[in-house]
Each structure stands twice: as C-alpha cells, then as structure tokens.
Amino acid sequence: MRRTLPALLLLAAASGVLAANYGEDRALIEDLQARYLFALDFQDPQAYADTFTEDGVLDYGAGQIKGRKAIAAMVAGMKERTKQQREKDAGLRPSAGRHSITNIVITVNGDKATSVAYWSHMGNANPERKSVVNSFGHYEHELVKVDGQWLFSK
C-alpha cells in the first residue's frame, strides 16, 4: 500500500489538472462561439474573420469560403445587402436577427478540438417586424489552439 499511495495521489492530481484544463478550454471555446455569433449578427467583418485561423474554412449551406480575407469579405457583403434592404424598407423599423447556440458538445484533444451544437436564428425581417424563429440547424466545428487562443479551422 505504501508504494501505491504516492502513485494514486499523483494520478489524482493529474486528473484534476486535466479536468481544470478541459474546463478552461471549454470556456474559451464557448466564448469563441459567442464572439463568432455576435460578430455575425452585428455584421462586423473583421471580428468574425478573427475567429478563424488565417487559412480557416467557413463551410456553410452556400458552400465554402477559405481564408480570413475571404470570410471578412463575405460578412462585408452581408452588411452592404442589409444597408440596401434598409433603404428599401424606409419607414419601417430596421430589421435585425440574432443567433443562439445550444446543446454544445466539445471534445478537446491537446491543441485540437471539435464542437457540435444546435443553432437557431430569430429575426424580424417581415412587414410587421414580428420576431420569429426563421431558421435553425447545427454546427460542426474543428478548432485549433494557436498561441493559447482557440480559433476555428473549419
């Protein structure tokens, strides 16, 4: 027993460190996911692109966009289309949309991680400006830790 006790204590301590690291990584990844959605909803091209690695891939319903520069350009295009639509909707309260993310499952393996989650979008782009859930789906993210910061690689 005397020989196994130190080994058991070392194992228990290591388990606590692993759990603490997972908790910290999970919190950082959930924060990244929130910043990703805020940047999208507020149409901030650079903030959105900055959630990806330099060569990151945005893979969504309309196809794939590769690299931060192209991802930022996609959000800038959304922002321009929103501006044009608001000009057409003169006299109406501006429409807006907000994403929510739930049921987040994160697997961390060193400096790589995967995440699966549900998302929904609530918007009021209708003549009554009534808020409705108008789309939903799920995310499948691949992430990497770069210089201590989690980023989407895909």
Side-chain angles (χ1 to χ4, degrees), residues 39-49 58 65 69-82:
L40 182 62
D41 288 343
F42 291 103
Q43 299 176 344
D44 184 332
Q46 197 57 56
Y48 188 75
L58 173 61
I65 300 173
K69 190 174 183 178
I71 292 168
M74 185 271 302
V75 177
M78 289 173 57
K79 189 172 187 170
E80 181 59 31
R81 286 188 298 280
T82 298

Side-chain angles (χ1 to χ4, degrees), residues 79-124:
K79 189 172 187 170
E80 181 59 31
R81 286 188 298 280
T82 298
K83 180 182 172 189
Q84 292 170 2
Q85 187 61 49
R86 286 183 175 170
E87 289 170 3
K88 289 180 187 177
D89 289 346
L92 290 175
R93 185 180 70 194
S95 65
R98 300 294 180 256
H99 287 85
S100 294
I101 187 171
T102 63
N103 299 29
I104 303 167
V105 176
I106 298 171
T107 303
V108 177
N109 187 6
D111 286 344
K112 295 187 178 203
T114 59
S115 175
V116 178
Y118 290 138
W119 65 267
S120 59
H121 181 268
M122 180 169 282
N124 66 348

